[in-house]
Amino acid sequence: MEIGNLIRMANRIGQFFEAMPDRHEALEGVANHIHKFWEPRMRNELLDFLARSPDGDAGDTRLHGLVLEAVTQNRQRLTPAARAQ
């Protein structure tokens, strides 16, 4: 999957959860959603992108700040099991 599409999908998740008044709950919501509903290859691509671009900037699009923080804080949890070994 193209990283631009993944970023757009992740940003929609971030926009949904940014409305929550509790920042910790919003960060947890983003991480939970990505963990539960994104298949391992999608999570791997997002994590690889962040390894190359830790600021979340893909040039033509940028990762939502809430998503960037949630994924960075939960990198280990979001790393698929087969890759973590």
Side-chain angles (χ1 to χ4, degrees):
M1 183 170 261
E2 199 263 322
I3 193 61
N5 289 333
L6 287 176
I7 290 173
R8 281 187 284 285
M9 290 170 53
N11 285 349
R12 282 188 230 128
I13 296 166
Q15 290 166 350
F16 175 82
F17 283 103
E18 80 178 336
M20 299 182 94
D22 183 324
R23 179 117 177 132
H24 176 73
E25 188 176 354
L27 290 167
E28 189 63 25
V30 169
N32 277 337
H33 184 89
I34 291 173
H35 186 256
K36 285 182 180 181
F37 299 109
W38 283 31
E39 62 182 50
R41 70 182 175 88
M42 293 168 68
R43 288 186 276 144
N44 280 334
E45 284 190 46
L46 183 60
L47 293 170
D48 288 345
F49 164 71
L50 287 176
R52 292 186 310 272
S53 302
D55 62 353
D57 190 348
D60 59 339
T61 188
R62 186 175 190 82
L63 199 59
H64 189 287
L66 185 67
V67 177
L68 178 61
E69 187 176 348
V71 173
T72 301
Q73 287 180 4
N74 293 280
R75 178 177 292 278
Q76 185 175 3
R77 182 171 106 193
L78 295 175
T79 302
R83 183 175 176 173
Q85 296 176 5

